[in-house]
């Protein structure tokens, strides 16, 4: 077994069968991943903190439990990592900034506690953009896309996308406020779920914008994403906004009960770049070959509501940072400071107008799902942009709004989506697409994505890393 071999790129559910059958131990698996992190992450910079000692102790406990017949399920003994805005007891949680660099939470976030309860081995905290907004803090390292160092990693769950794609964990947690699970999933070729708002507790997670924030899994496949979502979802007495809706076993039964109907807004599609349009056309061809029915639809005005997302987010971000901004403004990076300043400068009357338009947009979007089961959209407004193109993302309203056209509106409405790879660029970098559904339709999303991945191999492709050959 080698840290750089095929084992590192197995799907979570595949390696879980090896652990359950005691063909490989959790300790062996964890040691291999930790050695791979040590070998590769000086290039990729995906981890903010590696918790090797704690991970090995959790792995030893998992092996002992499994040997005694106390197997907890497919996460038991599997190395996973979490975005560095999820509180972790005894481990710093800095949320991508410097102000909280020494903050050690007194307890785990609900999602972390639930991963541990499922037997997962937490290998560390993953880097992210400052405060989960658009850009990394200028004094901190930025993760590097493992497919191509000059290609954007996506934000804000950049470390989650990189580590999952590069075989430095078998799954990760990300957060999504304007596209922060979907953008790095699309850029790094992984599968991510932004669940319905309220499907997953936000207790113990740093806020960017309370009413827009979502927590979800980033994995190698739809089946894996379903496993993680089942573990972390559900109501939570610590978070009154967590919905009291039963949590199914998303990966337990993956066959579609019927061929779903899919809507695509071709007028909106025509506004995206050529690689994105080509990918969506190919996705339509594939799903029609599966017997799915594809219909032209008219979505509510995604570009206009996307242009208003920044102001909506800014007000809530200003509230979330009121204890440290503007009193410690000099410690903030320019992008997050710019966002907070927008929020502080918006009048109550203007904000109320935004809320009215948000409610109207949400109502119109929900009605679309009366006519179709799923909506097809790209995973980002730009197909695999370069780091040079995205250098001014946090302070360029036009660039930000264009990028977020297919993502931010679904945070505004709280709509669930699954993002998965559906093509590659001429440079060989991934492009992703979204399947979107009605509220709490994550079961359908996982099944539909699994059906797509059963007849394609985009999700099985992985980057080749020069230094990923250290023996376990």
């Amino acid at each position: 077994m080698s840290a750089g071999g095929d084992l590192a790129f197995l799907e979570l559910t595949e390696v879980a069968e090896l652990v359950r059958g005691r063909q490989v131990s959790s300790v062996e698996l964890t040691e291999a991943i930790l050695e791979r992190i040590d070998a590769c992450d000086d290039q990729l910079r995906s981890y903010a903190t590696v918790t090797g000692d704690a991970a090995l102790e959790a792995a030893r406990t998992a092996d002992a439990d499994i040997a005694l017949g106390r197997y907890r399920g497919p996460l038991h003994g599997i190395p996973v990592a979490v975005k560095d805005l999820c509180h972790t007891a005894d481990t710093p949680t800095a949320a991508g900034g410097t102000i909280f660099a020494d903050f050690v939470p007194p307890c785990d976030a609900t999602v972390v506690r639930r991963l541990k309860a499922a037997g997962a081995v937490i290998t560390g905290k993953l880097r992210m953009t400052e405060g989960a907004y658009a850009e990394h803090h200028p004094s901190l390292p930025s993760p590097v896309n493992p497919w191509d160092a000059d290609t954007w990693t996506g934000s804000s769950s950049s470390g989650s996308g990189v580590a999952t794609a590069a075989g430095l964990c078998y799954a990760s947690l990300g957060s999504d406020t304007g596209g922060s699970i979907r953008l790095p999933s699309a850029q790094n070729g992984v599968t991510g779920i932004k669940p319905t708002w309220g499907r997953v507790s936000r207790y113990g997670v740093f806020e960017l914008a309370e009413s827009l924030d979502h927590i979800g899994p980033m994995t190698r496949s739809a089946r894996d994403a379903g496993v993680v979502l089942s573990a972390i979802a559900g109501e939570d007495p610590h978070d009154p906004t967590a919905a009291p809706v039963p949590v199914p076993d998303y990966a337990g039964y993956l066959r579609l009960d019927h061929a779903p109907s899919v809507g695509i807004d071709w007028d909106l599609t025509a506004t995206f770049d050529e690689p994105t349009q080509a990918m969506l056309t190919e996705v339509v061809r594939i799903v029609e070959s599966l017997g799915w029915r594809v219909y032209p639809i008219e979505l509510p005005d995604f570009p206009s509501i996307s242009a208003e997302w920044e102001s909506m987010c800014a007000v809530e971000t200003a509230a979330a940072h009121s204890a440290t901004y503007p009193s410690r403004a000099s410690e903030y990076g320019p992008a997050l400071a710019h966002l907070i300043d927008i929020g502080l400068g918006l009048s109550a009357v203007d904000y109320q107008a935004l809320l009215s338009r948000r409610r109207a947009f949400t109502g119109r979007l929900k009605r679309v799902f009366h006519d179709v089961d799923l909506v097809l959209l790209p995973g980002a407004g730009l197909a695999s942009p370069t780091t040079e193109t995205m250098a001014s993302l946090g302070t360029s309203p036009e660039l930000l709004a264009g990028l977020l056209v297919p993502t931010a509106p679904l945070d505004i409405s709280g709509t669930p989506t699954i993002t998965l790879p559906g093509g590659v660029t001429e440079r060989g970098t991934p492009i992703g697409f979204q399947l979107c559904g009605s509220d709490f339709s994550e079961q359908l999303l996982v099944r539909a994505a699994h059906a797509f991945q059963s007849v394609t191999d985009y999700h099985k492709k992985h980057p080749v890393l020069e230094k990923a050959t250290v023996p376990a």
Side-chain angles (χ1 to χ4, degrees), residues 45-46 81-86 126-136 143-144 152-165 172-188 190 192-194 205 208 214-218:
R45 305 195 293 264
S46 63
V82 300
K83 187 175 179 176
D84 196 29
L85 49 55
C86 299
L126 297 167
R127 293 194 188 279
M128 53 181 284
T129 55
E130 185 185 13
Y133 186 49
E135 294 181 4
H136 296 91
V144 175
W152 187 53
T153 58
S155 62
S156 64
S157 307
S158 50
S160 299
V162 170
T164 305
S172 61
L173 294 187
S175 69
D176 196 306
T177 305
S180 296
I181 288 172
R182 291 161 291 164
L183 298 174
S185 292
Q187 307 311 315
N188 293 281
V190 301
I193 294 178
K194 182 197 81 67
V205 177
L208 174 57
H214 304 66
I215 312 300
M218 298 171 67

Side-chain angles (χ1 to χ4, degrees), residues 1-5 32 35-36 39-40 43 464-472:
M1 178 176 66
S2 71
E35 291 183 8
R36 188 174 173 83
C40 303
Q43 300 175 75
V464 177
L465 306 178
E466 292 180 358
K467 293 172 67 175
T469 54
V470 177

Side-chain angles (χ1 to χ4, degrees), residues 64-386:
D65 285 344
I66 293 168
L68 293 171
R70 297 198 289 258
Y71 183 66
R72 302 185 197 177
L75 278 168
H76 201 174
I78 306 302
V80 303
V82 300
K83 187 175 179 176
D84 196 29
L85 49 55
C86 299
H87 288 191
T88 43
D90 304 321
T91 304
T93 301
T98 58
I99 289 176
F100 300 106
D102 298 322
F103 172 60
V104 179
C107 62
D108 289 332
T110 294
V111 288
V112 174
R113 177 173 53 81
R114 288 177 174 171
L115 284 177
K116 290 180 177 179
V121 173
I122 309 295
T123 51
K125 310 294 291 295
L126 297 167
R127 293 194 188 279
M128 53 181 284
T129 55
E130 185 185 13
Y133 186 49
E135 294 181 4
H136 296 91
H137 192 283
S139 68
L140 296 174
S142 301
V144 175
N145 192 309
W147 294 88
D148 173 28
D150 294 325
T151 295
W152 187 53
T153 58
S155 62
S156 64
S157 307
S158 50
S160 299
V162 170
T164 305
L168 307 185
C169 59
Y170 288 97
S172 61
L173 294 187
S175 69
D176 196 306
T177 305
S180 296
I181 288 172
R182 291 161 291 164
L183 298 174
S185 292
Q187 307 311 315
N188 293 281
V190 301
T191 301
I193 294 178
K194 182 197 81 67
T196 309
W197 192 83
R199 173 76 285 186
V200 176
S201 170
R202 293 175 293 106
Y203 177 73
V205 177
F206 270 101
E207 290 182 9
L208 174 57
E210 185 268 343
S211 76
L212 297 166
D213 292 346
H214 304 66
I215 312 300
M218 298 171 67
T219 63
R220 309 252 171 82
S221 69
R223 184 198 301 266
D224 290 358
V227 165
V228 178
L229 184 60
S230 289
I232 64 174
E235 63 180 312
D236 178 12
H238 298 295
D239 179 1
T241 69
V245 177
V247 179
D249 179 0
Y250 292 111
Y253 178 78
L254 290 168
R255 180 177 297 176
L256 286 164
D257 295 326
H258 65 278
S261 57
V262 182
I264 182 168
D265 187 329
W266 289 108
D267 289 338
L268 178 62
T269 298
T271 66
F272 299 119
D273 55 26
E274 190 279 331
T276 299
Q277 293 183 49
M279 174 201 60
L280 292 175
T281 299
E282 176 63 7
V283 170
V284 167
R285 185 194 68 79
I286 292 169
V287 300
E288 286 183 330
S289 74
L290 293 171
W292 301 10
R293 298 153 293 158
V294 180
Y295 300 103
I297 59 170
E298 182 179 353
L299 290 169
D301 194 343
F302 269 52
S304 292
I305 202 72
S306 175
E308 296 188 329
W309 173 88
E310 184 180 45
S311 294
M312 292 183 199
C313 180
V315 172
E316 296 190 31
T317 304
H321 288 261
S322 59
T324 53
Y325 194 96
S327 61
R328 300 175 66 178
S330 63
E331 299 174 64
Y332 280 72
L336 185 57
H338 174 72
L339 180 70
I340 295 172
D341 286 337
I342 291 173
L344 293 173
L346 200 69
S347 73
V349 171
D350 288 341
Y351 186 57
Q352 177 56 37
L354 287 173
L355 293 181
S356 294
R357 290 194 288 275
R358 178 182 184 178
R359 286 190 292 269
F361 172 85
T362 299
R364 294 187 184 103
L365 181 59
K366 289 183 185 299
R367 283 198 288 273
V368 169
F369 295 103
H370 295 173
D371 300 320
V372 293
D373 298 316
L374 302 168
V375 168
L376 174 62
L377 286 166
L382 297 170
S384 192
T386 64

